[in-house]
Amino acid sequence: MKWKIGAVLGVVAVIALAAAVYFRRSGGSVESAPRVGEVIEAIYGLGTVMSDQVYRVRGGLTLQVRRLSVREGDSVKAGDLLLQLDENQFRSPIAGVVTSISFKEGEIIPPQIPIITVTNLKALFLEVSLEQQSILRVKKGQHAAVSFESLRNEKVQGEVAQVYPRDNQFIVRIDIDKWPSGVLPGMTADVAIEVGKKSDVLLIPVKSVFGGQVTRIRQGRKEKIQVKLGVIDGEWAEVTSDNITRSDFILVRGP
């Protein structure tokens, strides 16, 4: 299978631990008070849904398909007849769905070519391939936030079950207790693996930062200042410099 995985060391989420953030209008902009919260540092990757149970019928010799007992999409139980090759019958050892039939009745099958595939659509896990720099920070037991593109409003939580190499790739297996309805093997999901936390850090909106500067409003006076940032996600940024306090307001431009 061909993986299209992108992974970067970054940050993922900001969870507020203090009081609500205060906003106020200032002409066409918004003045935002900094907030104190928890920052979760994470590794980003693209995961692919896999099944733990896949059965493929292959012939060891050149054989002819005498009879097909199933069609693609059929559900089968363990022990159900799948097909007959010459005088040999093949039954499914697992319950699942027939996800592939590569030949028709009467055709000659070369040795070791997959003929029928049965996949258990309920025994799922998520597989992520990461770069070396990222994999060094991933450990078994870490939490992972999983998001499917068509199910952005449905939060899925997972856990790192295994970390191992495969053919010069670095693989992370993520187990998920409760899968969203309709998820199938082969689907992809955005994955954020939590590798660290910072508590009680000062946060400002990312939209308030331009060229490393923000407009600080202190006691009614507006002033552009340089600001040093730490962990950043799509909306909030950790402030590591000491020139912004919780009592300040920051100008956020935009509608």
Side-chain angles (χ1 to χ4, degrees):
M1 181 174 291
K2 191 173 181 180
W3 304 100
K4 296 191 292 185
I5 304 299
V8 293
L9 180 62
V11 295
V12 58
V14 177
I15 303 172
L17 297 180
V21 181
Y22 297 98
F23 294 93
R24 63 190 187 194
R25 290 288 174 184
S26 178
S29 302
V30 174
E31 296 176 10
S32 170
R35 65 194 291 184
V36 174
E38 180 180 84
V39 177
I40 300 174
E41 190 176 3
I43 302 294
Y44 281 114
L46 184 65
T48 301
V49 180
M50 309 284 288
S51 174
D52 259 332
Q53 292 187 326
V54 180
Y55 172 64
R56 294 182 177 89
V57 177
R58 290 184 173 91
L61 303 171
T62 300
L63 301 170
Q64 185 179 34
V65 180
R66 296 293 185 184
R67 188 179 75 171
L68 289 171
S69 300
V70 292
R71 296 180 298 179
E72 287 186 345
D74 284 353
S75 296
V76 297
K77 303 185 297 294
D80 282 356
L81 181 64
L82 299 176
L83 80 164
Q84 181 175 333
L85 298 178
D86 286 347
E87 304 304 321
N88 301 307
Q89 291 186 341
F90 291 83
R91 298 180 181 273
S92 178
I94 65 172
V97 172
V98 179
T99 52
S100 175
I101 299 178
S102 304
F103 296 89
K104 296 180 172 58
E105 288 184 356
E107 291 188 310
I108 303 299
I109 312 300
Q112 301 305 318
I113 302 297
I115 307 166
I116 286 184
T117 301
V118 178
T119 305
N120 186 340
L121 303 185
K122 297 181 180 180
L124 303 179
F125 66 95
L126 203 62
E127 187 171 287
V128 185
S129 176
L130 296 177
E131 297 174 352
Q132 178 176 316
Q133 180 183 2
S134 299
I135 202 71
L136 290 170
R137 303 195 63 192
V138 178
K139 309 295 180 185
K140 184 176 180 179
Q142 290 173 335
H143 295 291
V146 179
S147 175
F148 291 88
E149 184 175 356
S150 57
L151 302 169
R152 292 300 186 190
N153 294 328
E154 192 165 350
K155 297 181 180 179
V156 181
Q157 298 297 319
E159 183 175 295
V160 175
Q162 302 291 343
V163 181
Y164 55 94
R166 181 206 296 147
D167 298 331
N168 296 322
Q169 295 186 77
F170 305 106
I171 305 300
V172 180
R173 175 189 169 121
I174 295 175
D175 287 343
I176 296 174
D177 289 334
K178 187 176 181 181
W179 288 87
S181 177
V183 172
L184 298 171
M187 290 184 176
T188 58
D190 294 321
V191 181
I193 303 170
E194 298 177 9
V195 297
K197 288 184 180 181
K198 290 184 178 181
S199 299
D200 299 324
V201 297
L202 192 67
L203 307 167
I204 61 174
V206 172
K207 289 183 178 180
S208 68
V209 183
F210 295 89
Q213 292 185 326
V214 299
T215 300
R216 183 187 66 190
I217 305 169
R218 178 175 291 180
Q219 297 179 347
R221 179 186 174 189
K222 294 182 180 181
E223 181 182 7
K224 285 189 176 181
I225 60 172
Q226 290 291 133
V227 64
K228 293 182 180 179
L229 304 178
V231 175
I232 302 172
D233 78 346
E235 297 181 5
W236 294 90
E238 174 197 6
V239 178
T240 58
S241 53
D242 59 2
N243 54 354
I244 295 178
T245 67
R246 287 193 64 188
S247 61
D248 295 328
F249 275 83
I250 304 298
L251 193 65
V252 183
R253 303 184 189 280

